[in-house]
Amino acid sequence: MLEASNLDCLRGGRALFRSLSFALQGGELLRIVGANGSGKTSLLKILCGLLSPEAGEVRWQGTPIPNLREDFTRHLVYLGHAPAVKDDLTAAENLTVACTLAGRTASPQQAREALESYGLAANDVAVRRLSQGQRRRAALARLLLSAAAPLWLLDEPFAALDAAAARFTEELIASHVAQGGAVVYTTHQEATIGAAALRVVELG
Amino acid sequence: MIAAARCVVRRDLLLALRRPSDVGTALLFFVIVASLFPLGIGAEPNQLRAVAPGVIWVAALLSSMLSLSRLFAADHADGTLEQMLLGVSPLGVIAAAKVFTHWLVSGLPLVLIAPLIALQYDLPASLYGTLALSLLLGTPVLSLIGAIGAALTLGLRGGGVLLSLLVLPLYVPVLIMGAGSVDMAAAGLAPQGQLQLLGALLLLAAAFAPWAIAAALRISTE
């Protein structure tokens, strides 16, 4: 599915990693570990095409991703370091916008259900008034509506979440992998995701 | 693709509606700058009539400049820009939608309020049409060109100043033709030539600027 070959990453004149190669199949879970500043976020950004590697390339189904662009991104969910929610919109509005941009249609009903299963009431409260953890939940609710996208790239999905929400996210990831999806994620928390094939890439 | 563009326009309008002060600031800035000139150069009606088109156009230019730096910066900061870059519709389409909304909230109000400013300068009522039309054709060009600069200076320290240095020179043709058309009409000549040139500029900018903005966004988010 996703193949990284000989990736080099330079940030600010410093080499974060060199000749990093791995291949990811459907049904596999890949965890990127490493200390702060070891290039986990950079690697995720390279994998989704937001950053171009210094050398090497990322291939999706055998084709380099810069050649695919929208044909690659439609198969992808990327949850970045910033939660990608607008402070002045409500959680439901944010979710609808995110789904539309990703080319998926989410009915108000679906959006409400997704938010409720993440423990957020779909009311008129702007995200600005929510706590950090609730904001994160509002961002993660996207995953519930993105089962159709095979590849999930999640940067610190468990950050700022309480135990219940973290467990719910773990289950979500596990079930996505069980259904043949591929998930790449970074975390500092000790997450236990019940997946058959867990692989680890260590940076730094 | 159309759905994504419509969604971005709707979202940005909603955001502008929830933060009306942002829109109000640019409009108020336009009114204040245009009102400062009569205080500075004296209230001699003939002189005011002569400088009116130029002053109104320069004020419009500066005011549209003012809101540019926020065009992509907020989306960049909260991560929504990344989601746009990774969206399924071409980035150029999203950029066009964003610029269109920027014009709706910062350019269109100028067009509507310009006759009121013109009144202050004792511009003959027969020129209001030309003035409004020139602004209607010109302000979208300002938004389109400005957005390229905003995308290029995204995330830079001191980007705001750099943005004005980058973009203001590019505004010159629009200023010359915009103010020129009103001057022509004031001299009793047909302003059509200048207006048509403005229209041509608008078409050119609308066709190419979105792709330039998209390329600039990809460069500056790296």
Side-chain angles (χ1 to χ4, degrees), chain A residues 44 58 62 101 141 149 181 200:
Chain A
L44 276 184
V58 180
L101 285 177
V200 175

Side-chain angles (χ1 to χ4, degrees), chain A residues 99-111:
Chain A
C99 286
T100 314
L101 285 177
R104 286 178 272 275
T105 43
S107 67
Q109 173 73 18
Q110 283 173 310

Side-chain angles (χ1 to χ4, degrees), chain A:
Chain A
M1 226 174 189
L2 189 73
E3 232 179 298
S5 71
N6 294 316
L7 294 180
D8 282 6
C9 176
L10 275 174
R11 295 304 267 175
R14 199 167 62 90
L16 289 176
F17 47 81
R18 285 203 181 280
S19 333
L20 182 71
S21 300
F22 58 85
L24 193 68
Q25 303 303 325
E28 283 185 328
L29 180 66
L30 178 72
R31 177 176 173 188
I32 303 169
V33 293
N36 294 126
S38 58
K40 300 188 294 296
T41 296
S42 299
L43 176 57
L44 276 184
K45 284 191 170 179
I46 287 174
L47 289 182
C48 66
L50 281 174
L51 212 67
S52 30
E54 209 51 39
E57 62 179 10
V58 180
R59 286 188 292 270
W60 172 255
Q61 323 273 32
T63 317
I65 55 169
N67 303 351
L68 289 171
R69 222 162 243 183
E70 284 88 27
D71 288 325
F72 168 60
T73 52
R74 77 175 72 249
H75 302 292
L76 165 85
V77 178
Y78 170 71
L79 193 93
H81 212 69
V85 289
K86 277 274 165 211
D87 279 355
D88 286 324
L89 300 181
T90 68
E93 286 164 344
N94 268 308
L95 191 54
T96 319
V97 170
C99 286
T100 314
L101 285 177
R104 286 178 272 275
T105 43
S107 67
Q109 173 73 18
Q110 283 173 310
R112 198 166 55 238
E113 279 171 13
L115 288 171
E116 275 165 7
S117 30
Y118 248 109
L120 285 172
N123 50 20
D124 290 338
V125 177
V127 171
R128 180 162 29 100
R129 304 198 181 283
L130 299 182
S131 77
Q132 205 58 37
Q134 285 175 313
R135 237 177 249 225
R136 199 73 193 165
R137 289 176 187 221
L140 282 163
R142 239 165 0 109
L143 295 181
L144 279 163
L145 301 173
S146 310
L151 178 64
W152 289 4
L153 303 173
L154 313 174
D155 196 354
E156 295 284 350
F158 307 112
L161 290 184
D162 60 22
R167 201 158 45 244
F168 185 73
T169 311
E170 286 168 17
E171 282 163 14
L172 214 58
I173 295 175
S175 83
H176 185 65
V177 172
Q179 280 160 19
V183 179
V184 183
Y185 74 107
T186 68
T187 184
H188 287 295
Q189 271 89 343
E190 266 317 311
T192 43
I193 299 175
L198 170 68
R199 310 200 4 230
V200 175
V201 165
E202 199 163 345
L203 298 177

Side-chain angles (χ1 to χ4, degrees), chain B residues 74-204:
Chain B
D75 287 348
H76 184 52
D78 60 24
T80 39
L81 188 64
E82 285 178 343
Q83 299 300 329
M84 291 179 184
L85 287 159
L86 294 176
V88 290
S89 16
L91 190 54
V93 174
I94 304 281
K98 278 200 72 82
V99 173
F100 176 65
T101 325
H102 175 260
W103 176 75
L104 275 187
V105 299
S106 75
L108 191 59
L110 303 190
V111 178
L112 299 177
I113 207 166
L116 217 62
I117 305 288
L119 198 66
Q120 214 176 2
Y121 283 84
D122 194 28
L123 218 58
S126 57
L127 295 181
Y128 289 3
T130 312
L131 177 66
L133 191 61
S134 71
L135 284 169
L136 190 66
L137 290 170
T139 44
V141 184
L142 300 182
S143 292
L144 283 161
I145 296 176
I148 303 178
L152 277 174
T153 54
L154 191 64
L156 294 185
R157 240 174 311 153
V161 184
L162 187 62
L163 175 64
S164 9
L165 292 180
L166 205 66
V167 162
L168 281 176
L170 297 175
Y171 279 177
V172 170
V174 186
L175 171 68
I176 292 175
M177 281 182 261
S181 67
V182 188
D183 280 335
M184 295 271 268
L189 300 166
Q192 273 82 353
Q194 308 265 16
L195 289 175
Q196 276 166 0
L197 275 174
L198 262 186
L201 259 186
L202 173 57
L203 286 180
L204 209 67

